[in-house]
Amino acid sequence: MNNDTYIVNTKENTWSNKIIDSIKGVADVGLDWDVQKTPMVALLEGKYPLPIESHVSVNRSDSSQSIGVVGAGYEPIQNSRIWEAMHNSLEGTQHEVVGGGYTHNGGRVFIQTKVTAEDFTVNGDVFDNYITFYSSHDGSSAFELFDTSVRMICQNTFRLAKQNGGKVFKLRVRHTRNAEVRFENVMQHLEVMFENRRRQYGKLNDLAQVGMEYNDMIAWATSFYTKTNKLATIASNKAHETRRLSRVGAGNNGETAYDLFNGVTDLLTHGDRHSKRDRAAVWRSSELGAAATQKADALEQLTTYRGHHIARGLELIRNGETSLVA
């Protein structure tokens, strides 16, 4: 991982900078520092300081490193308060912190906890499910909750739950009279998340019963990765790599729509084997960025729009071959 990303986990995986037996506080996940607001100045003609009143720099207390620029009215919530708020908000539930860390040099932070609700299996595969509390000190996002599933045999991940309309779960922050910070709507979100888990795992079990031929897998994946009406080489390469992973990936047989879904999550979780992208960038996209959204979308596209994508993919491939011949 690059130095701008730091990840700690209690289970062995390919991403973490550090594996520890248990996580008891912010120090265990590299968040034992505060956020400080620092005034900024502009240098006129390179030498005359002019105070900038509208914005401030956000700096880490341990290194003085700037991790973002925000409006002057911004009031940071310290990592220790985020930790306290998470536990206060989950009071009464059986939960265990299993991961945490930061990206963008600390500009964005996360804490991952396992909230025991019920266990899920698909086609004999065991899944672990985690709730991720995610926020930023650089003003890039509000407090959010993610429901993340991990297929244990291969460590592929995918995000299970979004609200109606595709919106993420945002947390309302309340400052109490005794200076505590609480997330007000966690329990409501968890109720929706857990119900959504049951529906999504039901869909996965259904996909495990749907056989798919080689050509249909290639066609579906071609359409899924192609956002325009013209087949591009990169989309074609992703489609063929996804089909390969659906056959040779851990626990896969290359025979069902569930295998194909696992091919998608494998590619988007671990990255293309031919790619030279930094592992930190792959992880950020997989868990918090565009790839996370794409993995969540794959289940819906395989369940509801499978036939549409196969037909569209075949047409894209035919037109692409025609263009090559012409």
Side-chain angles (χ1 to χ4, degrees):
M1 286 286 186
N2 280 349
N3 291 334
D4 69 347
T5 298
Y6 184 72
I7 304 168
V8 177
N9 207 279
T10 59
K11 287 191 175 182
E12 193 70 37
N13 60 73
T14 60
W15 305 111
S16 294
N17 301 83
K18 185 178 180 181
I19 304 296
I20 60 178
D21 293 333
S22 62
I23 297 173
K24 302 300 184 183
V26 291
D28 292 330
V29 292
L31 297 179
D32 51 338
W33 42 268
D34 287 338
V35 178
Q36 300 172 333
K37 294 166 60 176
T38 305
M40 298 192 303
V41 297
L43 292 179
L44 300 180
E45 299 180 2
K47 56 183 178 181
Y48 302 112
L50 177 67
I52 299 176
E53 298 181 354
S54 60
H55 289 77
V56 295
S57 173
V58 178
N59 297 63
R60 289 176 53 155
S61 62
D62 60 341
S63 64
S64 298
Q65 181 179 16
S66 176
I67 55 177
V69 175
V70 297
Y74 171 80
E75 289 299 331
I77 297 179
Q78 305 299 349
N79 297 329
S80 59
R81 290 304 182 92
I82 296 174
W83 175 274
E84 293 170 4
M86 178 194 68
H87 285 294
N88 289 338
S89 302
L90 292 174
E91 186 176 359
T93 69
Q94 184 178 346
H95 64 280
E96 175 190 6
V97 178
V98 295
Y102 59 78
T103 66
H104 300 81
N105 296 310
R108 301 167 198 181
V109 300
F110 68 96
I111 301 171
Q112 195 168 60
T113 180
K114 185 171 185 177
V115 180
T116 304
E118 55 188 298
D119 297 323
F120 294 93
T121 59
V122 179
N123 202 36
D125 294 338
V126 178
F127 288 80
D128 270 354
N129 298 286
Y130 305 98
I131 301 296
T132 302
F133 289 75
Y134 175 72
S135 188
S136 72
H137 294 308
D138 59 10
S140 59
S141 70
F143 282 97
E144 297 176 359
L145 274 183
F146 301 135
D147 190 13
T148 302
S149 179
V150 182
R151 185 181 181 224
M152 300 309 295
I153 193 172
C154 56
Q155 291 296 298
N156 294 348
T157 66
F158 61 96
R159 192 179 297 173
L160 281 166
K162 283 193 173 184
Q163 297 191 84
N164 292 336
K167 297 180 180 179
V168 299
F169 290 92
K170 294 189 181 294
L171 296 177
R172 293 194 303 271
V173 179
R174 178 168 63 90
H175 296 264
T176 65
R177 290 183 178 178
N178 59 356
E180 282 187 346
V181 175
R182 294 189 70 92
F183 300 133
E184 286 195 319
N185 48 343
V186 170
M187 290 304 173
Q188 297 95 312
H189 285 336
L190 290 182
E191 185 177 345
V192 175
M193 284 181 172
F194 293 158
E195 178 58 35
N196 189 70
R197 278 184 187 177
R198 299 182 189 100
R199 289 197 301 268
Q200 301 299 69
Y201 278 111
K203 291 179 181 179
L204 287 174
N205 274 299
D206 290 343
L207 290 181
Q209 307 306 314
V210 177
M212 289 188 73
E213 299 292 334
Y214 173 86
N215 288 339
D216 286 347
M217 286 188 173
I218 291 291
W220 181 92
T222 297
S223 176
F224 178 71
Y225 291 118
T226 303
K227 304 307 177 185
T228 67
N229 292 324
K230 184 177 180 181
L231 179 61
T233 300
I234 187 171
S236 180
N237 289 344
K238 285 183 177 180
H240 282 83
E241 180 65 4
T242 294
R243 168 62 180 90
R244 186 188 73 85
L245 290 170
S246 76
R247 179 175 58 84
V248 304
N252 298 340
N253 298 305
E255 298 175 351
T256 67
Y258 175 61
D259 289 326
L260 184 57
F261 175 76
N262 290 327
V264 173
T265 59
D266 197 335
L267 177 64
L268 296 177
T269 297
H270 302 290
D272 191 326
R273 57 183 172 147
H274 301 300
S275 174
K276 296 181 180 179
R277 289 182 70 195
D278 173 72
R279 288 175 63 244
V282 173
W283 182 88
R284 285 196 298 266
S285 180
S286 168
E287 305 308 304
L288 305 172
T293 301
Q294 199 168 17
K295 284 186 287 185
D297 189 45
L299 180 55
E300 182 67 19
Q301 298 305 318
L302 262 172
T303 303
T304 308
Y305 304 105
R306 185 170 58 253
H308 163 78
H309 278 294
I310 291 173
R312 179 173 178 267
L314 290 172
E315 183 177 0
L316 285 167
I317 293 169
R318 282 194 299 270
N319 291 341
E321 290 173 345
T322 302
S323 298
L324 288 175
V325 172

